[in-house]
Amino acid sequence: MPESGSNRVPETGAFFQRDRTWHPPALTPGYKSSVLRSPRKALLSFDNTLSEISGPVFGHAMLGELDNDLIHNFARPGESAVGERIIVNGRVIDERGVGVPGVLLEFWQANAGGRYRHKKDGYLAPLDPNFGGCGRTLSGEDGGYAFRTVKPGPYPWPNGPNDWRPAHIHFSVFGHGFAQRLITQMYFEGDPLIWKCPIVRGIADKAAIEALTAVLDTQATIPMDALAYKFDIVLRGRRSSLFENRLEGN
Amino acid sequence: MAQSLDRLRESPSQTAGPYVHIGLTPNFCGIGGVYPSDLGAAMVNDKTKGERIKLHIRVLDGTGTPLKDALIEIWQADAEGLYNSPAELRGAADPNFSGWGRCPTDMETGLCAFETVKPGRVPFRDGSLMAPHITLWIVARGINIGLHTRLYFSDEEEANAGDPILARIEHRVRVPTLIAARQGDTYVFDVHLQGEKETVFFDS
């Protein structure tokens, strides 16, 4: 058994089913590239087997000192990225409200002007020589995590003739089981572009969109240094163990 | 009003977008010096037990065009059928095998190439054995929520015939969409997102 990054006894129950009316559906025609990339046939449903209940774990040994500091992890010595300095912090919890410790979070984003360091991004806003745009960390014993970055800018994209993405940070999160695997995007409180974005509007429920909107967190700011936003991530909860006396779990 | 259930809702998914590589495989897209190597690039080493195999996987859209900006993660048991996970209670998996891999599709060809070992059989919920399989999770621009499917092996006909998940597929004509074709030590697998040959995707 690998190092789990946590002292908690591993749970082995099946995960709560996903509410696919809460998530965006596969086909959201306002987001044009979903049209040819969405399955047309129904998904095959089955309760989790060990293949979905188990999942990889990642240890602290893989992390570098600056992995959770996007202001400095690509910058030249003594320099730092340009932009609004922020701390993003929150907890990874499951649907039962329980912290999910020892899980890998990865983030990526554009720079303060909305430009990605990627050869497919041809936006005329310039690259920042001191900003790469990737970071990662592991959640702590209570599921808490934090990283430091600059606030990304909005950017135009070729969907409608005048579509702009709201400022956002992409998140990739592992849970304790592969069935909890999730990629999502974090938006910023008060951004008027959120409600116009076809990717955001693929989500039907306003409350679900609000669940992806980080709130200004003045208590976590560092005075004279960085503002802070709070963003909690909720992963699927799980039933009690498959391998205890009830074969089916409960 | 009755009491509320007091449960939280899962964070809704959003697409990984076209620049997923920046976060998940930065070295692949030219962002060097942040991480020593891209996570999930190597699943095996010299000491890994089991039959070495390669997987050549592509993801095709509704017109049959390969996606050149997708990212695939795989999760599988070791050669003995044990997962390298704290949730594995039947024994210790091969310490020289991670069981998890990550590969972006090639920006020119759309090909994902994994080097791994052929997995052993893993028990189903009732204790019977599932056929050897690899779990796939696919994200990309245009995919709003990661797609989950499985890769089974063409040279495991007998095990496949008894597999409880494959048995759940009502339209038998769709079963072959989950079976990779063996060519030497390589298994070739095309994932069709949409259309006549559409791959069976799971909600589990």
Side-chain angles (χ1 to χ4, degrees):
Chain A
M1 188 185 297
E3 178 208 1
S4 73
S6 166
N7 295 323
R8 202 197 290 169
V9 175
E11 293 183 275
T12 52
F15 293 97
F16 297 161
Q17 70 183 74
R18 248 183 184 140
D19 180 353
R20 288 180 182 267
T21 65
W22 178 254
H23 288 282
L27 175 61
T28 51
Y31 174 26
K32 292 181 181 177
S33 49
S34 75
V35 174
L36 284 170
R37 294 181 170 200
S38 46
R40 289 294 187 274
K41 297 181 170 69
L43 302 178
L44 178 73
S45 295
F46 57 90
D47 203 3
N48 293 164
T49 72
L50 186 58
S51 302
E52 293 78 38
I53 288 167
S54 60
V57 294
F58 303 91
H60 287 273
M62 62 172 265
L63 294 179
E65 201 180 333
L66 293 177
D67 281 7
N68 64 352
D69 184 353
L70 284 70
I71 293 178
H72 297 106
N73 68 10
F74 191 78
R76 292 178 287 225
E79 300 188 10
S80 58
V82 170
E84 190 176 329
R85 297 159 64 89
I86 61 171
I87 288 163
V88 178
N89 73 123
R91 286 177 76 210
V92 183
I93 46 187
D94 76 12
E95 289 166 302
R96 303 168 299 179
V98 177
V100 189
V103 300
L104 180 67
L105 298 106
E106 297 163 286
F107 345 97
W108 68 102
Q109 63 171 91
N111 69 21
R115 176 72 185 273
Y116 281 100
R117 185 171 288 282
H118 193 286
K119 66 180 179 185
K120 296 271 178 73
D121 187 359
Y123 184 32
L124 49 75
L127 288 170
D128 175 348
N130 289 310
F131 188 72
C134 61
R136 62 186 178 186
T137 191
L138 290 170
S139 62
E141 204 55 33
D142 64 348
Y145 76 92
F147 63 99
R148 175 191 285 259
T149 186
V150 294
K151 188 177 174 187
Y155 59 86
W157 57 300
N159 186 63
N162 187 26
D163 279 337
W164 290 72
R165 294 302 324 281
H168 64 276
I169 299 176
H170 296 265
F171 275 71
S172 162
V173 191
F174 287 82
H176 291 165
F178 207 52
Q180 290 176 302
R181 193 78 181 83
L182 181 73
I183 279 184
T184 189
Q185 302 183 29
M186 178 196 112
Y187 305 102
F188 291 85
E189 182 182 14
D191 185 344
L193 290 170
I194 292 173
W195 306 101
K196 300 179 185 300
C197 175
I199 290 177
V200 175
R201 291 170 63 137
I203 299 173
D205 193 322
K206 187 165 178 278
I209 294 172
E210 284 167 348
L212 294 183
T213 307
V215 31
L216 182 68
D217 179 4
T218 49
Q219 301 295 7
T221 59
I222 303 178
M224 306 305 289
D225 179 347
L227 277 173
Y229 284 86
K230 174 111 185 325
F231 185 59
D232 288 339
I233 297 159
V234 183
L235 301 179
R236 295 170 71 176
R238 67 162 100 207
R239 310 200 303 266
S240 57
S241 175
L242 170 65
F243 300 102
E244 288 166 7
N245 51 12
R246 283 165 303 204
L247 180 65
E248 296 303 319
N250 68 1
Chain B
M1 278 288 279
Q3 292 188 358
S4 101
L5 272 172
D6 198 23
R7 294 231 173 87
L8 302 172
R9 313 286 298 262
E10 188 186 10
S11 296
S13 174
Q14 292 272 265
T15 179
Y19 310 125
V20 59
H21 316 106
I22 294 174
L24 303 193
T25 56
N27 292 287
F28 169 82
C29 72
I31 301 175
V34 182
Y35 307 150
S37 61
D38 287 337
L39 205 59
M43 300 175 69
V44 294
N45 63 36
D46 295 346
K47 296 180 195 149
T48 308
K49 293 179 194 138
E51 181 192 354
R52 297 300 177 100
I53 59 169
K54 297 190 182 90
L55 309 176
H56 284 180
I57 306 176
R58 297 188 304 165
V59 183
L60 310 169
D61 73 13
T63 70
T65 307
L67 272 59
K68 294 168 182 176
D69 54 10
L71 181 126
I72 302 176
E73 290 185 4
I74 64 175
W75 172 241
Q76 64 165 100
D78 69 7
E80 302 294 321
L82 294 170
Y83 280 106
N84 192 349
S85 165
E88 176 59 83
L89 304 179
R90 295 169 299 145
D94 181 350
N96 292 299
F97 182 62
S98 70
W100 175 80
R102 173 186 277 172
C103 180
T105 55
D106 185 272
M107 290 192 204
E108 303 300 327
T109 64
L111 186 71
C112 270
F114 289 94
E115 291 189 22
T116 184
V117 295
K118 195 166 173 189
R121 298 179 70 170
V122 174
F124 186 57
R125 299 177 64 82
D126 62 4
S128 69
L129 292 175
M130 296 189 277
H133 65 272
I134 294 177
T135 296
L136 267 64
W137 188 71
I138 301 162
V139 293
R141 171 174 68 92
I143 296 177
N144 286 318
I145 180 166
L147 293 167
H148 169 202
T149 187
R150 285 185 182 184
L151 179 158
Y152 289 83
F153 301 89
S154 64
D155 54 343
E156 295 286 345
E157 276 182 49
E158 194 182 328
N160 292 343
D163 183 82
I165 301 300
L166 293 178
R168 295 282 300 274
I169 301 173
E170 177 190 354
H171 301 98
R172 303 308 294 166
V173 67
R174 301 191 67 204
V175 173
T177 69
L178 299 185
I179 299 181
R182 182 158 197 153
Q183 297 175 3
D185 64 351
T186 302
Y187 290 89
V188 178
F189 192 61
D190 278 350
V191 176
H192 293 266
L193 296 180
Q194 188 187 100
E196 262 182 54
K197 291 184 277 186
E198 187 171 307
T199 299
V200 176
F201 296 104
F202 302 156
D203 182 16
S204 178

